[in-house]
Amino acid sequence: MICVSVLWCWDQCQTSTAVLFSLPREFLQNTILRGGPDNIFVRAEKGQLTLTQMVSQFEAECQKSATNEGFSLPAQFSIQKLFKQLSTALKVNQPLLNAAMKLRNHGTH
């Protein structure tokens, strides 16, 4: 169920990107994939980046990606706004989160 929720939210995020900012629907996904196996999201999941750092670095990656694709991001483009939409749409599974925190606190990754 969590995977379905996350995928639905990601789909909504990509759709929002396309609608709000007039960008290609797959723009965010392509930007992430260009980062390879050590992309910003992987580094954040490993605790190597804070959320603030991840948002800032992902915004920079989006700027770079847009330039490489031959267009400029609109002035109102904001990864932070998109993440807020995503977090609003995604409901946290508190029991799963608690279990993950317990495992992490006991040295199990």
Side-chain angles (χ1 to χ4, degrees), residues 1 5-6 14-15 23-24 27 51 58 61 63 66 71-73 83 90-92 97-98 101-102 104-105:
M1 186 66 173
S5 295
V6 170
Q14 289 193 113
T15 300
L23 296 172
F27 177 74
L51 180 59
F58 189 47
E61 286 294 317
Q63 292 286 348
F71 63 89
S72 297
L73 293 176
F83 280 10
L90 182 62
K91 294 184 180 171
V92 174
L97 183 60
N98 291 341
M101 287 174 25
K102 282 181 184 179
R104 180 160 180 101
N105 290 336

Side-chain angles (χ1 to χ4, degrees), residues 54-94:
M54 184 189 79
V55 169
S56 174
Q57 288 183 26
F58 189 47
E59 187 115 10
E61 286 294 317
C62 287
Q63 292 286 348
K64 184 176 166 184
S65 187
T67 299
N68 290 341
E69 291 185 31
F71 63 89
S72 297
L73 293 176
Q76 75 274 19
F77 179 80
S78 170
I79 289 297
Q80 187 171 6
K81 284 181 189 176
L82 290 172
F83 280 10
K84 281 184 182 180
Q85 286 182 338
L86 184 59
S87 68
T88 299
L90 182 62
K91 294 184 180 171
V92 174
N93 182 332
Q94 196 63 47

Side-chain angles (χ1 to χ4, degrees), residues 1-9:
M1 186 66 173
I2 290 174
C3 289
V4 172
S5 295
V6 170
L7 291 176
W8 178 84
C9 289

Side-chain angles (χ1 to χ4, degrees), residues 28-44:
L28 294 178
Q29 183 174 340
N30 291 341
T31 300
I32 293 167
L33 292 175
R34 280 189 197 100
D38 193 34
N39 66 56
I40 292 166
F41 288 89
V42 170
R43 293 195 321 266

